[in-house]
Amino acid sequence: MTSKTRRQLRRAIGLVTICCWLHSLTNNVAHALSGTGLSFLDRVRLTMNLSEQGTSNITAAEEACLQWDDILRFEERNELSESAILLCFELHAACLVRVGDDDRALMVLDEALEFSQQHQLDNFMHRLHLQKAKSLQRLLRYPEAYHEFRITEKGEGILGAVTCALRQGNLSAANEIMKCPSSFLEVSALKDAINHFSGRGDDLQSLRSSSNSSLLCRWLLCVALGLHQKDSSSVGHMISKNDLPLFDFLDFCAVNTGPFDDPMLLHVDDKVMLHRMLTSTPNVAEETRAFWPQGWIISSSGSEVNSFGVFADDPTSLFILKRRAGYGSHGNLIAKGSSDVQKKVASFVKDEEQILVQRMVENPFLLSGGFKFSLRIYVAMIGDGIFLSDVGLVKIAAEPVTAEVINARSHMTNSGRERFMRQETLEYLKDQLSQRESGSWDALFSALREATRQVFVIYKNMFAVSAMDHEMSSTRKMVSKMMVPKILGLDFVVDDSLRPWLVEVNRFPGLEPRDQEQDAQVKRTIVRDAWQLAVSRCFENPSVVDWLANDLRNFSSDLPKCNSFTEVALEVADNNMSFNLGG
């Protein structure tokens, strides 16, 4: 959950508090809710408290979801004003988003929209449509999200619609939505940028005006003016002003979720598409079997789309069911044995949905105390270049693995699942490996690098030879010229023979620091190094963007000076390759 979302959630909580005339909040929420004699308004107050705690505590968010389910079904809710009821709907949806259940959040928001229409509360419609659009966007349902953003017809909605259009590779739709009248300066700025980098115009006035308040706009203006060093003096003049505001770390993080990344990244972000990409032809599958776990694509009927009939008979084998757009590991479910898989598919898979069922890595390498872990390895895409960092995170499960109980907290290692989940830097893993008699960090990192190389060889080759319409091709060329650094997170599980297995690619890895210093240090390093790389590849004379170097130093002065990224060499596409990506 972003800091902006947290602020919105807290604002909504404050509004409900005023509407209900509720006062002090109790700390012992769980105990109070389990007791008796609470009035309806007391339950609302306590559930609001849980909702606020849920921004940083997944357990509180889960409990709040249960409480809102009850509260919003009671007739007593009429004790609240109509506007307070709608705000409770919003809090319920926000908590569902926090626990990774955007599907249910959409149902709650649809109910809120219907309530709003019935009671003619038009002032809520804009915010509800925005929330719905963002849930659809997180579920990778970009056409529907585009439609919801368009309904709002306001600045943030227009920007959201532009983002969804570009993520579909639809440059024409992005241009169409930006024709809507808007007082939002950033809309005009992005229009200038799109026109310039797609070769349809050179009017950069709005982009220049927005560069004082938007890091993305200032970067695009610098690239536009300094491209090929044709006008480096103009860049230098622009950034020599003493009154330019500084951009902080969160501004740099926010660019990573902006509209200008390769739209074909959907094929790594969507788990079903990623599986198809890595197993689409025999010659590709042969290479990926070294690092990609065996998997099957299952439809809503439970029938196989891909070789499901060859599940192992071993009833002790563990499998993981993955929704194609799940995030934070909340869209995943663990099953033991093929019969358990088939039973859980029936309740897990929604109508007309496809999921990925994957064999979990057998004999995982466990850390001291028997804890499972995953590695978050970072990749930067800058123009046509792919770069791998040797700085990353060791994400440790909340509980040790036991043979007797299959516990998600022993197998899921995403830090978004827990309020305090232990994370370490890669140096910690190096120390753990030094205590082993066989294997080394150098060998493991070499295998990680090779797996990463293979993924992006396939990615680059697939779209070099695939039939691509003009819109998609034009969008990709435009984005590449912008040289906006794109940070991806690749998650690996390591088995006991120190063989890394790729389990997920994150198009939008969380870059906001969590509670632990190790997490913040790694993320500050990754963001700084990715942007420094972009500068070195875009400008022959980096001094024209000294403002950027100064901003980066503000949050990274205590970090090592050397850049953690090195380029990954990729082969030229083989025209004999053929891919069957399916639906």
Side-chain angles (χ1 to χ4, degrees), residues 140-439:
L140 311 183
R141 292 160 61 177
Y142 291 125
E144 296 167 81
Y146 174 84
H147 173 72
E148 287 294 326
F149 278 125
R150 288 289 309 254
I151 289 174
T152 66
E153 294 184 349
K154 292 186 179 180
E156 188 177 359
I158 293 175
L159 289 177
V162 169
T163 299
C164 289
L166 292 176
R167 288 189 186 159
Q168 298 173 78
N170 193 337
L171 194 53
S172 295
N175 283 317
E176 185 64 28
I177 183 63
M178 286 189 295
K179 291 178 182 177
C180 297
S182 173
S183 59
F184 209 43
L185 184 59
E186 196 169 351
V187 172
S188 299
L190 294 187
K191 182 178 180 179
D192 284 357
I194 288 173
N195 285 339
H196 177 85
F197 287 99
S198 59
R200 290 202 299 264
D202 286 315
D203 183 2
L204 301 175
Q205 186 56 46
S206 294
L207 191 61
R208 189 185 299 271
S209 298
S210 291
S211 68
N212 283 335
S213 58
S214 166
L215 171 60
L216 176 60
C217 290
R218 192 185 296 181
W219 170 258
L220 293 176
L221 179 61
C222 287
V223 175
L225 293 175
L227 201 59
H228 309 304
Q229 300 300 299
K230 290 179 181 177
D231 198 7
S232 59
S233 61
S234 296
V235 181
H237 175 71
M238 182 199 75
I239 55 86
S240 64
K241 301 176 183 177
N242 295 324
D243 59 347
L244 279 180
L246 296 176
F247 294 110
D248 62 23
F249 179 65
L250 294 182
D251 292 318
F252 285 89
C253 295
V255 173
N256 206 54
T257 59
F260 298 125
D261 60 5
D262 187 350
M264 283 299 182
L265 283 174
L266 178 63
H267 286 266
V268 299
D269 197 24
D270 182 313
K271 296 173 178 63
V272 169
M273 285 185 171
L274 176 61
H275 179 76
R276 284 201 178 99
M277 188 184 86
L278 296 179
T279 60
S280 53
T281 62
N283 59 320
V284 170
E286 188 65 32
E287 300 291 337
T288 60
R289 270 196 285 269
F291 63 85
W292 181 245
Q294 186 182 22
W296 301 264
I297 298 173
I298 311 299
S299 69
S300 56
S301 64
S303 62
E304 70 274 19
V305 180
N306 245 16
S307 309
F308 180 51
V310 295
F311 268 128
D313 293 330
D314 183 358
T316 64
S317 294
L318 294 181
F319 299 90
I320 185 164
L321 286 65
K322 298 180 178 179
R323 289 211 163 91
R324 60 196 310 163
Y327 56 91
S329 77
H330 300 296
N332 299 341
L333 189 67
I334 296 174
K336 186 175 183 179
S338 58
S339 61
D340 192 26
V341 170
Q342 292 169 325
K343 181 173 66 176
K344 287 181 176 175
V345 160
S347 59
F348 186 72
V349 185
K350 298 179 173 63
D351 291 342
E352 300 181 6
E353 183 185 22
Q354 291 181 342
I355 66 164
L356 175 62
V357 177
Q358 254 181 334
R359 190 185 301 278
M360 295 186 72
V361 175
E362 297 180 355
N363 301 316
F365 173 36
L366 302 179
L367 300 173
S368 299
F371 287 90
K372 192 173 180 179
F373 69 95
S374 64
L375 298 179
R376 168 63 56 85
I377 303 298
Y378 292 95
V379 166
M381 298 178 69
I382 302 171
D384 293 328
I386 302 292
F387 303 84
L388 177 68
S389 176
D390 60 7
V391 171
L393 287 167
V394 181
K395 303 163 85 69
I396 304 172
E399 296 180 4
V401 173
T402 59
E404 298 78 18
V405 180
I406 305 303
N407 182 356
R409 301 187 75 218
S410 300
H411 292 278
M412 304 293 192
T413 59
N414 192 288
S415 54
R417 291 185 61 86
E418 308 282 342
R419 183 175 187 182
F420 299 109
M421 180 170 275
R422 184 179 166 200
Q423 294 188 105
E424 301 285 352
T425 67
L426 297 183
E427 295 299 321
Y428 171 83
L429 183 58
K430 293 179 188 179
D431 291 339
Q432 291 273 308
L433 290 174
S434 68
Q435 302 172 25
R436 288 171 54 107
E437 295 181 359
S438 61

